[in-house]
């Protein structure tokens, strides 16, 4: 007759490398080898650990026992006292000699639990991991591989702003750590766990899902002052279990723009699963700071990348069908770098995320309304963002900031660049929306909209410095002795210039002169820039989308004037930059821009001409950063033609 499953398992013994009693204070050192056996006495299933060098035996009722996996060969077995507070009456740390032995033991544990009709499994399993349900496997694999390398851990450790601020926040608030149980979420190398141990933590559970967990064990074992108070657990906080509640959570869950990599979700999951009701979180809260910026050089750099696809005869192939996609692709990538805070065109605003209150689901979609007041007249090229986090200790509050102008961190700052900049004057309002939607690749899709005053559809009448011109002027003659009335109804003027400088062309400047062809003396009356100013001034038609030219590059276009019944003209302007350099002989247009203007009511910009250098200066040598005034080489003199019209919009998705 075949024996029952319990009788079969009753004969098995499992050899252990060591058994350590968790109830002793301080924890006892690992014991000598031991043996684990299962038994069934009077219907009660038991698990016993018998040490080979003593008669002491640890006995657990399998009806209330739970097994927590700390590593491939290390477990904690505890006995639940079934109270509402879910505390544990006793526990041991067990270690096997091989992964094969540990697996056989786990299988037997599950079998005994099942045959004893105890509902549920007490061994932590990642088969239904919440993390795996929302994150792509390929993204998670790459993510944990990246953080499992010492090279990248070194990069973070050498960020002395980051590491030093964490150290100061812990040491200045020793009272929050001394004698407390601490959980380090995403421990990495274990550096924060050792900071907590230095501050007097009773015990630290360092949870790390990547292969860095093995390096952390090695590093902690090499620091014997901390080793007996730090337990490294390899696994995700969504999956693992801990034998006790934590008084303090410490973590470094911040990514670019604070939320990138989606580790903040794991941080709040650990809070809900492991932290006691009055526990502390280090960090406690974070803020995303935002401000519009103006950076002509960055904008030109990104726009120029797509010009390759404007070639109409690239070895006989027209590349222009892909220009739009390439242009959009370059501007859909946020720029991560360190920039000069003087590029900001308004004071920043911020959005606060309280880690003690946020739910995991709150991170799935973050919507931030934007409202700024411009401090300068300029072109807004996008939105600059950075973050800071607060360590709200009982003794000292300390901030870790990644702001521009502050010491640089490995997070730097991030800028979302608009494909279509907007124009603003000092004091004008800029509104918009920053919308973040989490996706399964452990990051976010960014939808950014910025709105400012509409760009004027009227020409600008003012006096400007002739050194703003980028080419010698051309002219169109009207002979009053020959013109018919009907010839004034529509005037069409072809345009052709050769640029003298490398710059951005913002539009077309116009003026006039008239000839008094006397029999004795010919005299001209001119309204040219640089000549004595008249009440006519000059007129400029400013394009909403400037074009880029190199020195020697040809600019073509058309100025078309159509008379209307309001005793004025509608102006249609087109300017185009032709192919330049080796491909110029192939012809073709690299970039075009058009504008329509009403001459009836021009914007009379009566401010005095601004001071300009005595001579056209060469481009400045490379500098670490530039302020907004440095950037406005060609634009300062035409910015104020902006009128309070219905808002212009610029948006991008990154």
């Amino acid at each position: 007759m075949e024996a029952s499953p319990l009788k079969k398992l009753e004969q098995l013994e499992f050899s252990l490398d060591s058994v350590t009693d968790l109830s002793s204070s301080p924890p006892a050192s690992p014991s000598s080898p031991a043996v684990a056996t299962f038994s069934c006495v009077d219907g009660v299933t038991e698990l016993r650990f018998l040490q080979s060098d003593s008669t002491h035996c640890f006995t657990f009722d399998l009806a209330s026992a739970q097994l927590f996996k700390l590593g491939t060969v290390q477990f904690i077995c505890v006995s639940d006292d079934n109270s509402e507070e879910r505390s544990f009456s006793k526990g041991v740390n067990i270690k096997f000699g091989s992964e094969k032995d540990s697996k056989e033991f786990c299988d037997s544990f599950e079998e005994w639990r099942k045959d004893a009709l105890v509902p549920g499994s007490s061994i932590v399993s990642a088969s239904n991991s919440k993390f795996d349900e929302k994150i792509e496997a390929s993204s998670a694999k790459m993510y944990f591989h990246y953080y499992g390398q010492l090279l990248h851990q070194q990069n973070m450790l050498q960020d002395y702003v980051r590491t030093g601020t964490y150290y100061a926040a812990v040491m200045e608030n020793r009272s929050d750590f001394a004698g407390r149980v601490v959980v380090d979420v995403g421990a990495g190398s274990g550096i924060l766990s050792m900071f907590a141990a230095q501050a007097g933590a009773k015990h630290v559970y360092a949870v790390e899902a990547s292969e860095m967990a093995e390096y952390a064990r090695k590093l902690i074992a090499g620091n014997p002052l901390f080793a007996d108070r730090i337990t490294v657990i390899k696994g995700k906080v969504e999956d693992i279990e801990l034998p006790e509640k934590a008084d303090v959570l410490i973590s470094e869950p911040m990514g670019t723009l604070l939320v990138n990599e989606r580790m903040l979700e794991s941080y709040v999951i650990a809070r809900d699963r492991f932290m006691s009701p009055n526990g502390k979180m280090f960090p406690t809260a974070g803020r995303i700071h935002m401000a519009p910026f103006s950076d002509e050089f960055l904008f030109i750099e990104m726009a120029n990348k797509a010009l390759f696809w404007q070639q109409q005869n690239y070895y006989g192939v027209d590349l222009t069908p892909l220009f739009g996609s390439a242009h959009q692709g370059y501007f859909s990538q946020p720029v991560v770098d360190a920039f000069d805070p003087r590029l900001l065109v308004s004071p920043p605003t911020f959005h606060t995320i309280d880690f003690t209150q946020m739910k995991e689901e709150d991170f799935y979609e973050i919507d931030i309304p934007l409202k700024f007041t411009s401090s300068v007249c300029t072109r807004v090229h996008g939105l600059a963002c950075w973050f800071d986090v607060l360590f709200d200790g009982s003794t000292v509050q300390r901030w870790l900031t990644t702001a521009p102008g502050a010491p640089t961190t490995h997070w730097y700052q991030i800028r979302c660049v608009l494909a279509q900049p907007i124009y603003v004057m000092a004091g004008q309002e800029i509104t918009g929306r920053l919308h973040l939607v989490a996706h399964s690749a452990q990051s976010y899709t960014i939808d950014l909209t910025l709105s400012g005053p509409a760009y004027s559809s009227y020409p600008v009448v003012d006096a400007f410095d002739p050194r703003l011109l980028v080419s010698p002027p051309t002219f169109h003659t009207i002979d009053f002795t020959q013109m018919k009335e009907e010839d004034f109804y529509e005037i069409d003027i072809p345009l052709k210039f050769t640029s003298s400088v490398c710059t951005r062309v913002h539009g077309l400047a116009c003026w006039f002169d008239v000839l008094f062809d006397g029999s004795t003396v010919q005299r001209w009356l001119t309204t040219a820039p640089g000549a004595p100013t008249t009440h006519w001034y000059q007129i400029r038609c400013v394009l909403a989308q400037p074009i880029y030219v190199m020195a020697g590059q040809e600019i073509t276009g058309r100025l078309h004037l159509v008379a209307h019944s309001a005793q004025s003209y509608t102006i249609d302007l087109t300017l185009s930059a032709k192919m330049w350099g080796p491909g110029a002989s192939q012809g073709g247009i690299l970039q075009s821009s058009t504008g329509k203007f009403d001459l009836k009511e021009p914007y009379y910009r009566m401010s005095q001409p601004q001071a300009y250098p005595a001579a056209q200066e060469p481009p400045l040598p490379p500098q670490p950063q530039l302020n907004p005034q440095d950037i406005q080489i060609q634009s300062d003199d035409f910015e104020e033609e902006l009128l309070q019209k219905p808002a212009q919009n610029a948006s991008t998705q990154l």
Side-chain angles (χ1 to χ4, degrees), residues 284-296:
T284 314
R287 300 185 301 185
I288 300 175
H289 296 259
M290 300 144 291
F293 72 92
S294 178
D295 191 340
E296 294 282 351

PDB file of all heavy atoms in Angstrom, residues 284-296:
ATOM      1  N   THR A 284      10.996  63.202   1.109  1.00  0.00           N
ATOM      2  CA  THR A 284       9.606  63.315   1.526  1.00  0.00           C
ATOM      3  C   THR A 284       8.704  63.835   0.414  1.00  0.00           C
ATOM      4  O   THR A 284       7.560  63.409   0.285  1.00  0.00           O
ATOM      5  CB  THR A 284       9.505  64.264   2.743  1.00  0.00           C
ATOM      6  OG1 THR A 284      10.518  63.928   3.685  1.00  0.00           O
ATOM      7  CG2 THR A 284       8.144  64.176   3.387  1.00  0.00           C
ATOM      8  N   ALA A 285       9.214  64.774  -0.374  1.00  0.00           N
ATOM      9  CA  ALA A 285       8.427  65.396  -1.439  1.00  0.00           C
ATOM     10  C   ALA A 285       9.363  65.860  -2.540  1.00  0.00           C
ATOM     11  O   ALA A 285      10.581  66.016  -2.332  1.00  0.00           O
ATOM     12  CB  ALA A 285       7.606  66.565  -0.900  1.00  0.00           C
ATOM     13  N   GLY A 286       8.791  66.075  -3.711  1.00  0.00           N
ATOM     14  CA  GLY A 286       9.567  66.577  -4.839  1.00  0.00           C
ATOM     15  C   GLY A 286       8.811  67.682  -5.555  1.00  0.00           C
ATOM     16  O   GLY A 286       7.577  67.778  -5.461  1.00  0.00           O
ATOM     17  N   ARG A 287       9.552  68.520  -6.269  1.00  0.00           N
ATOM     18  CA  ARG A 287       8.929  69.600  -7.039  1.00  0.00           C
ATOM     19  C   ARG A 287       9.523  69.617  -8.445  1.00  0.00           C
ATOM     20  O   ARG A 287      10.744  69.536  -8.610  1.00  0.00           O
ATOM     21  CB  ARG A 287       9.156  70.965  -6.379  1.00  0.00           C
ATOM     22  CG  ARG A 287       8.597  71.082  -4.973  1.00  0.00           C
ATOM     23  CD  ARG A 287       8.735  72.483  -4.410  1.00  0.00           C
ATOM     24  NE  ARG A 287      10.124  72.922  -4.349  1.00  0.00           N
ATOM     25  CZ  ARG A 287      10.528  74.070  -3.798  1.00  0.00           C
ATOM     26  NH1 ARG A 287       9.634  74.898  -3.281  1.00  0.00           N
ATOM     27  NH2 ARG A 287      11.802  74.391  -3.774  1.00  0.00           N
ATOM     28  N   ILE A 288       8.660  69.722  -9.445  1.00  0.00           N
ATOM     29  CA  ILE A 288       9.090  69.917 -10.825  1.00  0.00           C
ATOM     30  C   ILE A 288       9.002  71.409 -11.117  1.00  0.00           C
ATOM     31  O   ILE A 288       7.926  72.009 -11.024  1.00  0.00           O
ATOM     32  CB  ILE A 288       8.208  69.134 -11.809  1.00  0.00           C
ATOM     33  CG1 ILE A 288       8.268  67.631 -11.505  1.00  0.00           C
ATOM     34  CG2 ILE A 288       8.647  69.387 -13.239  1.00  0.00           C
ATOM     35  CD1 ILE A 288       7.320  66.799 -12.363  1.00  0.00           C
ATOM     36  N   HIS A 289      10.138  72.014 -11.442  1.00  0.00           N
ATOM     37  CA  HIS A 289      10.186  73.442 -11.754  1.00  0.00           C
ATOM     38  C   HIS A 289      10.184  73.627 -13.270  1.00  0.00           C
ATOM     39  O   HIS A 289      10.827  72.862 -14.001  1.00  0.00           O
ATOM     40  CB  HIS A 289      11.443  74.079 -11.158  1.00  0.00           C
ATOM     41  CG  HIS A 289      11.477  74.041  -9.664  1.00  0.00           C
ATOM     42  ND1 HIS A 289      11.156  75.122  -8.874  1.00  0.00           N
ATOM     43  CD2 HIS A 289      11.785  73.038  -8.800  1.00  0.00           C
ATOM     44  CE1 HIS A 289      11.270  74.799  -7.603  1.00  0.00           C
ATOM     45  NE2 HIS A 289      11.652  73.531  -7.525  1.00  0.00           N
ATOM     46  N   MET A 290       9.499  74.673 -13.731  1.00  0.00           N
ATOM     47  CA  MET A 290       9.364  74.923 -15.169  1.00  0.00           C
ATOM     48  C   MET A 290       9.449  76.414 -15.452  1.00  0.00           C
ATOM     49  O   MET A 290       8.942  77.227 -14.665  1.00  0.00           O
ATOM     50  CB  MET A 290       8.015  74.386 -15.671  1.00  0.00           C
ATOM     51  CG  MET A 290       7.801  72.900 -15.467  1.00  0.00           C
ATOM     52  SD  MET A 290       6.088  72.499 -15.069  1.00  0.00           S
ATOM     53  CE  MET A 290       5.920  73.188 -13.430  1.00  0.00           C
ATOM     54  N   ALA A 291      10.067  76.752 -16.587  1.00  0.00           N
ATOM     55  CA  ALA A 291      10.118  78.138 -17.040  1.00  0.00           C
ATOM     56  C   ALA A 291      10.385  78.152 -18.536  1.00  0.00           C
ATOM     57  O   ALA A 291      11.138  77.321 -19.048  1.00  0.00           O
ATOM     58  CB  ALA A 291      11.210  78.927 -16.302  1.00  0.00           C
ATOM     59  N   PRO A 292       9.782  79.089 -19.284  1.00  0.00           N
ATOM     60  CA  PRO A 292      10.103  79.210 -20.709  1.00  0.00           C
ATOM     61  C   PRO A 292      11.512  79.743 -20.889  1.00  0.00           C
ATOM     62  O   PRO A 292      12.026  80.472 -20.035  1.00  0.00           O
ATOM     63  CB  PRO A 292       9.053  80.203 -21.225  1.00  0.00           C
ATOM     64  CG  PRO A 292       8.631  80.974 -20.023  1.00  0.00           C
ATOM     65  CD  PRO A 292       8.754  80.047 -18.854  1.00  0.00           C
ATOM     66  N   PHE A 293      12.142  79.374 -21.992  1.00  0.00           N
ATOM     67  CA  PHE A 293      13.511  79.806 -22.239  1.00  0.00           C
ATOM     68  C   PHE A 293      13.665  80.283 -23.674  1.00  0.00           C
ATOM     69  O   PHE A 293      12.845  79.979 -24.555  1.00  0.00           O
ATOM     70  CB  PHE A 293      14.505  78.675 -21.961  1.00  0.00           C
ATOM     71  CG  PHE A 293      14.487  77.581 -22.994  1.00  0.00           C
ATOM     72  CD1 PHE A 293      15.342  77.612 -24.096  1.00  0.00           C
ATOM     73  CD2 PHE A 293      13.605  76.511 -22.887  1.00  0.00           C
ATOM     74  CE1 PHE A 293      15.318  76.613 -25.050  1.00  0.00           C
ATOM     75  CE2 PHE A 293      13.568  75.508 -23.840  1.00  0.00           C
ATOM     76  CZ  PHE A 293      14.430  75.561 -24.922  1.00  0.00           C
ATOM     77  N   SER A 294      14.730  81.042 -23.902  1.00  0.00           N
ATOM     78  CA  SER A 294      15.090  81.515 -25.240  1.00  0.00           C
ATOM     79  C   SER A 294      16.534  81.129 -25.509  1.00  0.00           C
ATOM     80  O   SER A 294      17.436  81.527 -24.767  1.00  0.00           O
ATOM     81  CB  SER A 294      14.919  83.041 -25.332  1.00  0.00           C
ATOM     82  OG  SER A 294      15.303  83.520 -26.606  1.00  0.00           O
ATOM     83  N   ASP A 295      16.737  80.330 -26.524  1.00  0.00           N
ATOM     84  CA  ASP A 295      18.089  79.884 -26.876  1.00  0.00           C
ATOM     85  C   ASP A 295      18.161  79.718 -28.393  1.00  0.00           C
ATOM     86  O   ASP A 295      17.869  78.650 -28.934  1.00  0.00           O
ATOM     87  CB  ASP A 295      18.403  78.571 -26.164  1.00  0.00           C
ATOM     88  CG  ASP A 295      19.882  78.188 -26.266  1.00  0.00           C
ATOM     89  OD1 ASP A 295      20.559  78.716 -27.172  1.00  0.00           O
ATOM     90  OD2 ASP A 295      20.347  77.372 -25.456  1.00  0.00           O
ATOM     91  N   GLU A 296      18.548  80.811 -29.074  1.00  0.00           N
ATOM     92  CA  GLU A 296      18.614  80.779 -30.533  1.00  0.00           C
ATOM     93  C   GLU A 296      19.582  79.709 -31.033  1.00  0.00           C
ATOM     94  O   GLU A 296      19.325  79.030 -32.027  1.00  0.00           O
ATOM     95  CB  GLU A 296      19.046  82.155 -31.065  1.00  0.00           C
ATOM     96  CG  GLU A 296      18.045  83.264 -30.822  1.00  0.00           C
ATOM     97  CD  GLU A 296      16.891  83.225 -31.794  1.00  0.00           C
ATOM     98  OE1 GLU A 296      16.953  82.441 -32.759  1.00  0.00           O
ATOM     99  OE2 GLU A 296      15.916  83.969 -31.586  1.00  0.00           O
TER     100      GLU A 296
END
